[in-house]
Amino acid sequence: MFRPGKRYDVSSDTTSRLKCRGKTLLQYLGTSTFSEYTVVNEVAVAKIPDSAPLDKVCLLGCGVATGYGAVINTAKVQPGSTCAVFGLGGVGLAAVMGCQAAGASRIIAVDINKDKFPKAKVFGATDFVNPKDHDKPISQVLAEMTNGGVDFSFECVGSVEVMRGALESCIKGWGVSVLTGYNDSQDMSTRCLQLLAGRTWKGSLFGGYKSVESVPKLVWEYMEGKLQLDEFVTLTLPLDRINEAFDLMINREGIRTVLHLSAQ
Ligand SMILES: NC(=O)c1ccc[n+]([C@@H]2O[C@H](COP(=O)([O-])OP(=O)(O)OC[C@H]3O[C@@H](n4cnc5c(N)ncnc54)[C@H](O)[C@@H]3O)[C@@H](O)[C@H]2O)c1
C-alpha cells in the first residue's frame, strides 16, 4: 500500500540493488521497468505464459488493471447499473471496459477532451458528457440525465474537484463513488450531507488486484479474447525515443505508448 513518508524508489529494505558506472540508481515505484534486467520485491512478480505478447500484456502492470479492477473488485458493479466514468485516459477507458463486462446498462463517459469519446465508445460507453459544454455543476448534469444520479461513479483523473463531482453525481441512498486518480498535494472535500445521504466514497489501488495471483489470470483473459488490450496502444516507439513518449503522456495525447528495445 502507498504510505506517506515511505519511499517507492528503493527496495523494501530501503537499499537499491542497481548501479550504473558505480552510481546507485533509484527504482521508480520499486520496479525500474525501462531496463532489461531489474530486481524487484517478490510481490511485484507475475509468471505469465511465454506466448503472451509482452507489448500488450505490459498494460496489465498498472493502468488497465487499475481501472478494470476498480469496477470489478472495488465497486462490484451489478448488471443493469448506471455508471459514470470521469477521465478517459488508460485508467478511465479500462473502467469503461469493466463497466461493460459487469453488465452495466448505461455507461456515461465524462471528459473535458471530446477527442477521447470515440475510443470510449469502442470500450462500451453509451453516453458522452463534456463538462465544458455545461454551465452548471457536472453532478447536476448527471442527476438530470439519470433521474437522480448514477449507481456507480469512477474518478480516473487525479483532481480533487473531479473526485467531489464524481461523488456528488452518485444517487442518494446507495450510490458508490470509487477514486483511482492520484493526488498527493491537495485534500479532498465534500459536505457531510453528501455521505449522510447514503453515498459511499471508496478508493482503489491497482484495482484491488494482487499481482502474483491476479496478473496471470488477467493475461489469460486477454489471450482468450475476454479482455481488450490492443485498443489502448496508440503508439509504439523505440526506447531511444522515450522522451517523446513522456511528452505525449504529459500532454495527455494518445492513450498508451509502448516502448520497444529497438524499432519494430
Ligand atoms: N489507483 C491506482 O492504483 C492508479 C494506477 C495508475 C494510475 N493512477 C492514477 O489514475 C489517474 C489517471 O491515469 P491515466 O493514465 O488514465 O491518466 P491520463 O492523463 O491518460 O487521463 C486523464 C484523463 O482525464 C481527463 N480530464 C482532465 N481533467 C478532467 C476533468 N476536469 N473532468 C473530466 N476529465 C478530465 C483528461 O482529458 C484525460 O483524458 C492518474 O491520476 C494516475 O496517477 C492510479
Side-chain angles (χ1 to χ4, degrees), residues 70-83 98-99 102-104 152 154:
V71 175
I72 304 293
N73 302 325
T74 310
K76 297 186 171 55
V77 166
Q78 299 301 306
S81 305
T82 296
C83 300
C99 291
F152 297 94
F154 299 89

Side-chain angles (χ1 to χ4, degrees), residues 55 62 87 100 116 145 150 173 201 209 225 243 252 263:
D55 61 347
C62 188
Q100 189 185 44
K116 301 291 177 98
M145 285 173 68
V150 297
W201 216 354
Y209 288 115
N243 287 339
R252 290 181 157 159

Side-chain angles (χ1 to χ4, degrees), residues 191-211:
R191 294 286 169 99
C192 300
L193 192 58
Q194 297 292 341
L195 294 175
L196 294 178
R199 298 181 179 92
T200 303
W201 216 354
K202 304 173 85 169
S204 186
L205 189 66
F206 192 48
Y209 288 115
K210 289 191 169 62
S211 308

Side-chain angles (χ1 to χ4, degrees), residues 12 15 22 30 33 50 61-62 87 101 116 155 200 227 264:
S12 49
T15 65
T33 47
D50 289 340
C62 188
K116 301 291 177 98
E155 198 280 350
T200 303
L227 205 63
Q264 296 292 294

Side-chain angles (χ1 to χ4, degrees), residues 93-138:
L93 290 174
V96 171
M97 178 169 71
C99 291
Q100 189 185 44
S105 58
R106 200 166 173 198
I107 306 168
I108 304 171
V110 183
D111 203 298
I112 53 169
N113 179 356
K114 65 176 174 30
D115 295 343
K116 301 291 177 98
F117 295 153
K119 191 70 108 176
K121 192 167 186 181
V122 169
F123 285 105
T126 57
D127 300 65
F128 307 89
V129 177
N130 184 343
K132 287 182 174 173
D133 293 340
H134 300 271
D135 54 9
K136 49 189 159 190
I138 188 70

